[in-house]
Amino acid sequence: MFEIRVICDRPDADRISQALAAAFDTGPARQYPTRDGKRTRLYFTADHRPDNPESE
């Protein structure tokens, strides 16, 4: 398990959350404003997706 931190513009937060959820098993994003208040910090707890063995 690992943490991902992303600093982005507020309108991009949903798109970034969806992209990370598609690539990793993520928990819900924790959102906080940046110190200057102009952008958003997103924190995700994530894990690699388990490998799915192919059916024979």
Side-chain angles (χ1 to χ4, degrees), residues 29-42:
R30 298 177 313 277
Q31 292 190 21
Y32 305 98
T34 56
R35 290 182 185 155
D36 62 9
K38 295 179 182 177
R39 295 182 290 168
T40 298
R41 290 180 291 148
L42 302 174

Side-chain angles (χ1 to χ4, degrees), residues 37-54:
K38 295 179 182 177
R39 295 182 290 168
T40 298
R41 290 180 291 148
L42 302 174
Y43 292 89
F44 298 88
T45 300
D47 203 352
H48 295 283
R49 290 197 180 273
D51 292 331
N52 293 329
E54 293 184 23

Side-chain angles (χ1 to χ4, degrees), residues 11-24 26-27 29 42 44 49:
D12 295 331
D14 287 339
R15 182 178 54 82
I16 290 169
S17 295
Q18 291 171 358
L20 288 173
F24 301 101
T26 62
L42 302 174
F44 298 88
R49 290 197 180 273

